Amino acid sequence: GIQVEQSPPDLILQEGANSTLRCNFSDSVNNLQWFHQNPWGQLINLFYIPSGTKQNGRLSATTVATERYSLLYISSSQTTDSGVYFCAGTSASGGSYIPTFGRGTSLIVHP
Amino acid sequence: SQTIHQWPATLVQPVGSPLSLECTVEGTSNPNLYWYRQAAGRGLQLLFYSIGIDQISSEVPQNLSASRPQDRQFILSSKKLLLSDSGFYLCAGGTGGSGNTIYFGEGSWLTVV
């Protein structure tokens, strides 16, 4: 199966700072998604972004499918952005139904 | 978009007792369904997935089993819980195929004592 590497593993910011989270895939993927796991454990969909760029408020994401990576940008971070961010994708070969997740980036935003 | 309902939200069970976690899906038919476990340390471990009624695939050998008695119902079970079964269990559903967007339920915190 594919391997998913996320960086950095941990990130600590002051409120108002910007940050970039990265997700690298070992092979071509379909159905690339970003999630935010809040402190209560719930995984919230942020973006479905197999390619290109999308923006939603202070968050945006870019996927360069040919180079097998995706970036999540958080601007003007707030304490409510704290939590763990995951990316996931399914292998583009073999008709896989199984999304493979990275180990996540743990973000703490201090007031 | 689809909605995943999962319950119970929390439970504390003694070692050797049975387990049943239930997950239902709204907003789509014939979804791909998944059970994940998240232990301390953050990673999501895929336990089971299903592409249709009574079609279950297990990813890891373990003390758990899964069933899909209806199209939009997915159940995680155990006959006898072990201490090592403690963790956070997440049900997820996907639309399938290209554009397989995954949505998660609220999760179930299981503590085996």
Side-chain angles (χ1 to χ4, degrees):
Chain A
I2 60 172
Q3 306 298 316
V4 182
E5 183 179 322
Q6 288 190 244
S7 60
D10 300 279
L11 187 58
I12 299 175
L13 300 174
Q14 285 297 126
E15 204 167 25
N18 303 328
S19 61
T20 301
L21 282 58
R22 186 178 178 106
C23 184
N24 289 333
F25 293 88
S26 61
D27 204 347
S28 298
V29 295
N30 294 325
N31 305 318
L32 199 157
Q33 287 182 258
W34 282 96
F35 300 87
H36 174 219
Q37 187 170 34
N38 64 26
W40 298 271
Q42 190 168 8
L43 277 150
I44 309 296
N45 288 46
L46 296 178
F47 294 101
Y48 171 81
I49 185 163
S51 64
T53 298
K54 289 185 177 179
Q55 181 159 6
N56 184 2
R58 296 180 296 103
L59 272 59
S60 64
T62 295
T63 296
V64 183
T66 54
E67 297 189 19
R68 303 197 294 255
Y69 73 89
S70 184
L71 302 173
L72 178 69
Y73 305 97
I74 304 175
S75 63
S76 303
S77 58
Q78 301 177 358
T79 56
T80 51
D81 295 330
S82 297
V84 182
Y85 290 81
F86 291 97
C87 62
T90 53
S91 174
S93 59
S96 173
Y97 299 101
I98 303 173
T100 300
F101 284 80
R103 289 192 55 80
T105 292
S106 177
L107 172 63
I108 297 174
V109 180
H110 289 301
Chain B
S1 66
Q2 59 185 304
T3 303
I4 312 293
H5 297 289
Q6 183 180 343
W7 69 92
T10 60
L11 65 167
V12 179
Q13 295 284 101
V15 170
S17 64
L19 171 73
S20 180
L21 300 179
E22 189 162 344
C23 171
T24 58
V25 181
E26 293 181 358
T28 188
S29 58
N30 196 30
N32 296 332
L33 295 173
Y34 311 86
W35 278 110
Y36 287 89
R37 177 168 59 200
Q38 187 176 34
R42 208 161 73 196
L44 288 165
Q45 180 188 32
L46 179 64
L47 301 177
F48 300 94
Y49 71 95
S50 171
I51 60 172
I53 294 174
D54 295 330
Q55 294 179 276
I56 312 291
S57 296
S58 174
E59 286 297 296
V60 293
Q62 60 210 321
N63 186 42
L64 302 169
S65 62
S67 61
R68 185 171 176 174
Q70 301 181 46
D71 179 46
R72 290 179 282 181
Q73 182 185 26
F74 205 24
I75 299 171
L76 182 69
S77 304
S78 173
K79 291 182 179 178
K80 288 185 179 182
L81 284 168
L82 305 172
L83 286 174
S84 58
D85 292 323
S86 293
F88 186 50
Y89 290 81
L90 288 154
C91 178
T95 52
S98 179
N100 184 28
T101 308
I102 304 294
Y103 291 87
F104 282 87
E106 302 90 341
S108 299
W109 294 94
L110 170 65
T111 303
V112 183
V113 296

